[in-house]
Structures are given as C-alpha cells and as structure tokens.
Amino acid sequence: QVQLVETGGGLVQAGGSLRLSCAASGSIFSINAMGWYRQAPGKQREYVASISLGGSTHCAESVKGRFTISRDGAVNTMYLQMNSLKPEDTAVYSCRVVVAALGGYEDVYWGQGTQVTVSS
C-alpha cells in the first residue's frame, strides 16, 4: 500500500506564499500521476494542479500564474508552490497519487489534507 504525508499548510496574509509537500512511501513501483485538490468550507472538492510521470504539468485557471506544481522523483515527493495567495484560496489542500497496477489498472491514494488559511 501507499502512504501519503502532507506538510506545509498554515496561516498567511494575502499576497504571501506557502509551499506544500506530499511525500509518498510504501509499495510504489510506478507513479502515473500526482495532483493537488482543495476543498473550501461549504464547497465541494476541486482540482488545483497535477503532474504526470513524464513531467507534464497542468493547473486550474483559478491558480494559473500563481501556483506551481513540481515533483522530486528520487524521493517520490510532490510540491505545490503557492504565491500571491488570496483569501479565496483558503481551503483544505489534499494530495492525490495515481499508482500503476496490473492489467493496466490504477490505484488512487489520498493524503489527509492540510489547512491553508489566507487572511485579508
């Protein structure tokens, strides 16, 4: 099985920055993709950004130009650099990892989430 440990959340003023980390460990033979999602109070979880095994990145329109996703394959760790934070970025940020399985299937794992609070 795969275990995910997230760190980096906290309280920051508008315009500030935070860097989230998600470290994956366990029975990992191949990670197909890693991504970040967030859920604000009273809202459903939404997609933030992702990175593929080949290094291709993508992010939601709401965070383009401000957030950057990256990965350190040597330690199976994913990062989310968040700059120019806005109050509307306040949410619980969760790490999602897609692991390759037999027969072309995939297993999906989620982290426990880390709180990001941006004050105005």
Side-chain angles (χ1 to χ4, degrees):
Q1 300 298 308
V2 175
Q3 296 80 46
L4 305 178
V5 179
E6 302 177 25
T7 58
L11 175 64
V12 65
Q13 295 183 45
S17 300
L18 284 174
R19 185 171 184 255
L20 306 183
S21 298
C22 174
S25 62
S27 301
I28 302 175
F29 295 97
S30 180
I31 296 179
N32 289 345
M34 302 180 76
W36 290 96
Y37 290 73
R38 67 185 183 185
Q39 185 171 25
K43 297 183 178 180
Q44 291 189 279
R45 182 177 293 169
E46 65 174 340
Y47 166 82
V48 176
S50 62
I51 183 168
S52 70
L53 179 63
S56 298
T57 61
H58 178 80
C59 62
E61 287 292 329
S62 60
V63 304
K64 281 187 176 180
R66 300 187 299 119
F67 291 11
T68 302
I69 187 171
S70 61
R71 178 190 178 190
D72 183 346
V75 293
N76 289 323
T77 300
M78 175 179 64
Y79 305 94
L80 183 67
Q81 179 65 48
M82 305 184 293
N83 299 323
S84 301
L85 284 163
K86 305 175 181 179
E88 50 264 44
D89 293 320
T90 296
V92 174
Y93 285 71
S94 300
C95 172
R96 178 179 182 269
V97 174
V98 180
V99 179
L102 295 176
Y105 292 95
E106 298 177 328
D107 291 332
V108 179
Y109 295 88
W110 289 86
Q112 79 284 358
T114 183
Q115 177 70 48
V116 172
T117 302
V118 184
S119 64
S120 59

